[in-house]
Each structure stands twice: as structure tokens, then as C-alpha cells.
Amino acid sequence: MLPVFIENYKEDTRNGVQAAVAQAKKRIEKLEAERARIEVLKKYEYEYAEYTYICGIDEAGRGPLAGPVAAGAVILPKDCDILYINDSKKLSAAKREALYDEIMEKAVAVGVGLVGPQRIDEINILQATYEAMREAIRNLGVVPDILLNDAVTIPEVSIPQVPIIKGDAKSISIGAASIIAKVTRDRLMAEYDELMPEYGFASNKGYGSAEHIAAIKKYGASPIHRMTFIKNFI
């Protein structure tokens, strides 16, 4: 409706109307710039367009002291029209939540994998991340033809893989996967906060903030802490 509004009122000399027209033009310019950015973000999806199901893979939660590591797997439609997808760390929490809902609605398939703290302690965080990624792929419901991964090559996966350094900022599929993984994990940490409010999980998401470390020293480890990560604090 913005182009119609601009066309209808561009000759109107009232100051308020001209201010509204100028604002409408800026909104259109921003929208066109975002569409151009998203088009660049589809570079790898175009490069591997001969594959029917292109799946982006990313993780969230490798660094925290508590909670699971989460992986997201997302297959977007070829004509994906979702704007504002980016590396989840570059988005506000509100924007991630909105994009999560849109991705879940429009994606061909979405899979999530979670590996808990005890398993992380048992096999180490890297192997746990791979395990979460394999689980996310299994939970897709559709078998991907190719995987676009954020930086890693996942062991024990027969599907062709393309590791892309900083892929969550270079591939729309990986960016979507990063949002799914991040929002899934953040929501889970907020639920843990209701059960164990003394650790501040809703705000720190399990990461090693000063307040979180102080809580560990005061209250000891919770059932969701990674013992191999907090051995210096208890």
C-alpha cells in the first residue's frame, strides 16, 4: 500500500502529508535494502539449487555452564520470502521470537536436537554438538539432499555436507537454523529458571556471567550444570 499512498499524496503540499510521504519512501527503501540483503544470503542455496531439499544446520549453547546444547535443522522452500533472517546473535530476542514463528510456519521441515549436560560431561561439548545435530536431522521428517553447516562437518552422516565458516551470517538456511536452535534453548532455560530461580537462568541462559558464577559458589551445582565446565567454581 505504500507506493499507492505515495502516488496519491505526492502532490499534496500540506507539511504533515509530505512528512508522511517521506516516511513512506524511507520504509520502502529499507524494505528494498532488506530484500537485496536476503538475496545475497541465498548465495549457497542458489549454488546448490540442483538439490531439492537443502538443509541448514546450526547450534546454540556450546559455551554455557548449564543447560543442553541445541541444534536446529531447517529446510526452507525454494521461493522463501522470509525477511530479516540473520545470525541469531545479531537479532533482538523479540525479533528472534517473531522469526521463529514465521520459520516454523513456512519451512518445508524443521528439526531440533538437544543433548543434556550429563551427556556433555560424558563425551565433551564438541561430540555432544555433533550428536545434537544428528538428532536434529533425524527429527526433520524429510531426508535432506545436502547439508549446509555452520563451520563443521558432522561425523557419521552420509548426506553430502558443505561446511561454511560463519555460515549463520552467509546462508539463509543456516541463519534460520541458528534462530530455531537459539529460541528453543532460550525458552528451555526460561523454564529452568522457574524451577531454580537462584541461578538467573532466564537472563544469563546458563552462560558464565558474574552473577551466575557467584550463585554457583553460593548454592553449588544444579542438576543442569555441566560439571566439566564449572569444576573451577565449586
Side-chain angles (χ1 to χ4, degrees):
M1 297 299 293
L2 289 176
V4 175
F5 171 80
I6 292 169
E7 184 61 31
N8 288 343
Y9 291 96
K10 64 181 180 180
E11 304 298 337
D12 193 311
T13 57
R14 288 174 291 178
N15 290 339
V17 174
Q18 282 305 301
V21 168
Q23 187 177 32
K25 287 180 178 178
K26 286 182 180 178
R27 287 180 63 187
I28 289 176
E29 288 172 2
K30 286 183 178 179
L31 189 60
E32 289 175 347
E34 175 58 20
R35 284 177 175 152
R37 187 190 70 84
I38 287 292
E39 198 63 19
V40 172
L41 210 58
K42 294 179 180 179
K43 170 190 172 183
Y44 289 97
E45 285 72 15
Y46 288 142
E47 184 175 341
Y48 297 97
E50 71 269 22
Y51 293 93
T52 301
Y53 295 127
I54 301 171
C55 179
I57 306 281
D58 201 6
E59 54 74 28
R62 284 181 66 169
L65 309 179
V69 61
V74 177
I75 300 173
L76 295 173
K78 295 281 191 178
D79 59 348
C80 179
D81 62 353
I82 305 175
L83 300 179
Y84 307 107
I85 286 177
N86 205 336
D87 171 2
S88 63
K89 297 184 290 296
K90 297 181 180 179
L91 301 169
S92 68
K95 185 56 113 177
R96 286 196 298 266
E97 288 283 346
L99 283 167
Y100 175 96
D101 292 340
E102 190 172 3
I103 292 164
M104 293 298 288
E105 176 189 346
K106 295 182 177 179
V108 173
V110 175
V112 172
L114 293 167
V115 172
Q118 288 75 30
R119 184 65 172 161
I120 292 170
D121 287 336
E122 180 183 348
I123 63 174
N124 78 47
I125 185 59
L126 179 59
Q127 296 306 317
T129 301
Y130 291 149
E131 200 165 274
M133 289 176 168
R134 289 191 291 266
E135 182 183 342
I137 296 166
R138 287 195 300 270
N139 288 337
L140 277 168
V142 172
V143 178
D145 297 308
I146 191 168
L147 305 177
L148 305 183
N149 306 338
D150 186 30
V152 301
T153 300
I154 310 164
E156 302 172 37
V157 171
S158 59
I159 302 166
Q161 302 181 57
V162 181
I164 302 168
I165 303 298
K166 296 185 178 179
D168 46 8
K170 296 178 181 178
S171 158
I172 190 170
S173 300
I174 300 177
S178 78
I179 292 165
I180 294 298
K182 174 69 172 165
V183 172
T184 298
R185 189 180 185 282
D186 283 358
R187 289 178 178 178
L188 188 58
M189 295 307 294
E191 292 179 14
Y192 284 135
D193 184 75
E194 294 180 7
L195 298 172
M196 297 168 281
E198 62 270 25
Y199 296 100
F201 290 140
S203 58
N204 62 49
K205 304 300 186 295
Y207 284 88
S209 66
E211 293 80 7
H212 183 191
I213 292 171
I216 295 171
K217 292 178 178 178
K218 181 176 181 180
Y219 300 107
S222 77
I224 68 161
H225 276 100
R226 306 171 183 177
M227 300 306 293
T228 52
F229 281 49
I230 65 169
K231 57 188 177 184
N232 293 332
F233 306 131
I234 57 175

